[in-house]
């Protein structure tokens, strides 16, 4: 059995510790129990806090650990859960964690930073020059604070030299199932996911972010052009027409537009159209062809390809993730019950091998 230590931190999301706890406890055990087979637990899991005392989550839930991190001499796998988003305060309050993480890694442990927990790996210097991820909303802040890290916020899970990161709270399940498969094999991971009614790990998180169409700027002519594009995104709008509206030559206009927004005009228009399509997919059940035409693309194949390139999901996948349940009353209850009654109706969970960015040690 491999030893797993889950580090609890103050003011974090308790699910980022509890989800890995339950997944690693379940691996090799829960599926067997449900089928009256002998249990074959693969992991010995314990929780630890910096001082060994109860840790309170961001929402007031108290979690009492098994031990203090000082009592953990060596662990095969370490999971760092989330804490408060105030990095300056957290790094001072949790400073004793950093040398402990460095020591565990030097002794051969795999270290995982869940969501903003990746900041502790970066602060310890473990991620310098390595691939990592975190929640998309924290990516810019982390990139500025830790410029030596090769941040990939479009990915849910990364692995580089025994250092793993996951983006978002639920990505604690993604990285946990990834590690179950890596350490125990695909069949055990699949059984664990099925027993817990969890999907196997997801690929990208860019579809969860509201795409920033433009960076802040003070160029009034370009801001007027942006407003025009946002109001008329369904139309085909020639660049010379936009340049004339802005009172600039074409080359000068394109240069000013790129400098102000960070995008070329055609890319900007595509981004606006995809944002509009996302809103439509979230709010109604029109066919994809109809939405494609509505946002200015009569070629639905091109629209699907563009949508997937920008969001890393097909329009259908995006709708499945973000559209509200369009039933109420008894029908809603039955829809809610269906996954539990027939968990395999949605198909086999995906293998995780294409999911992550991996670099060998």
């Amino acid at each position: 059995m491999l030893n797993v230590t889950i580090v609890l931190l103050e003011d974090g999301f308790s699910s980022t510790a509890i989800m890995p706890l339950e997944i690693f406890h379940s691996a090799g055990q829960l599926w067997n129990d449900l089928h009256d087979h002998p249990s074959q637990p693969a992991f010995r899991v314990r929780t630890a806090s910096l001082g060994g005392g109860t840790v309170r989550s961001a929402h007031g839930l108290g979690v009492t650990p098994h031990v203090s991190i000082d009592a953990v001499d060596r662990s095969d796998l370490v999971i760092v859960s989330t804490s408060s988003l105030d990095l300056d305060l957290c790094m001072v309050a949790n400073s004793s964690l950093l040398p402990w993480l460095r020591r565990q890694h030097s002794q051969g442990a795999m270290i995982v930073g869940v969501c903003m927990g990746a900041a502790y790996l970066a602060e310890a210097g473990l991620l310098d020059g390595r691939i990592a991820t975190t929640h998309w909303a924290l990516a810019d802040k982390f990139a500025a604070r830790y410029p030596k890290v090769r941040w990939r916020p479009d990915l849910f899970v990364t692995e580089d030299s025994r250092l793993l990161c996951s983006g978002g709270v639920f990505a604690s399940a993604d990285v946990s199932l990834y590690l179950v498969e890596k350490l125990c094999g695909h069949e055990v991971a699949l059984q664990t996911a099925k027993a817990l009614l969890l999907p196997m790990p997801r690929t990208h998180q860019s579809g969860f972010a509201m795409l920033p169409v433009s960076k802040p700027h003070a160029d009034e002519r370009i801001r007027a052009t942006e407003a025009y594009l946002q109001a008329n995104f369904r139309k085909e709008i020639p660049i010379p027409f936009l340049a004339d509206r802005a009172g600039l030559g074409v080359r000068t206009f394109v240069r000013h537009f790129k400098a102000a927004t960070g995008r070329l005009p055609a890319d900007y228009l595509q981004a606006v159209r995809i944002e509009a399509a996302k809103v439509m997919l979230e709010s109604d059940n029109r066919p994809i062809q109809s939405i494609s035409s509505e946002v200015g693309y009569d070629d639905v194949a091109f629209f699907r390809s563009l949508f997937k390139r920008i969001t890393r999901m097909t329009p259908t996948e995006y709708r499945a993730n973000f559209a509200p349940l369009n039933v109420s009353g008894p029908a809603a209850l039955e829809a809610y019950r269906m996954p539990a009654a027939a968990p395999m109706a949605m198909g086999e969970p995906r293998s995780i091998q294409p999911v992550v960015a991996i670099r060998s040690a």
Side-chain angles (χ1 to χ4, degrees), residues 144-160:
R145 185 179 180 109
Y146 307 111
K148 295 181 181 179
V149 181
R150 299 170 59 190
W151 293 105
R152 287 291 309 276
D154 57 309
L155 297 174
F156 274 117
V157 177
T158 58
E159 178 186 358
D160 191 341

Side-chain angles (χ1 to χ4, degrees), residues 76-142:
D76 298 301
L77 180 59
V78 173
I79 313 288
V80 182
S81 59
T82 62
S83 66
S84 163
L85 297 178
D86 188 335
L87 289 182
D88 291 331
L89 184 63
C90 285
M91 293 307 163
V92 172
N94 300 319
S95 60
S96 62
L97 176 63
L98 306 180
W100 184 82
L101 290 175
R102 288 191 288 266
R103 184 171 70 253
Q104 291 295 325
H105 189 255
S106 70
Q107 293 175 167
M110 303 177 76
I111 313 288
V112 181
V114 177
C115 191
M116 73 78 55
Y120 292 95
L121 281 63
E123 190 77 18
L126 295 173
L127 294 180
D128 287 356
R130 291 169 174 152
I131 295 171
T133 191
T134 187
H135 191 285
W136 61 265
L138 301 173
D140 289 344
K141 180 187 295 186
F142 279 25

Side-chain angles (χ1 to χ4, degrees), residues 21 34 44 94 98 167 171 184 215 239 249 275 328 350 355 358:
L21 173 77
L34 293 171
R44 184 182 296 107
N94 300 319
L98 306 180
C184 303
K215 62 183 183 180
I239 291 178
E275 285 302 301
S328 59
R350 297 189 305 274
V355 169
I358 302 174

Side-chain angles (χ1 to χ4, degrees), residues 313-333:
M313 299 182 190
T314 66
T316 301
E317 289 169 340
Y318 186 89
R319 173 176 273 162
N321 276 283
F322 298 108
L325 188 64
N326 194 27
V327 292
S328 59
L333 183 59

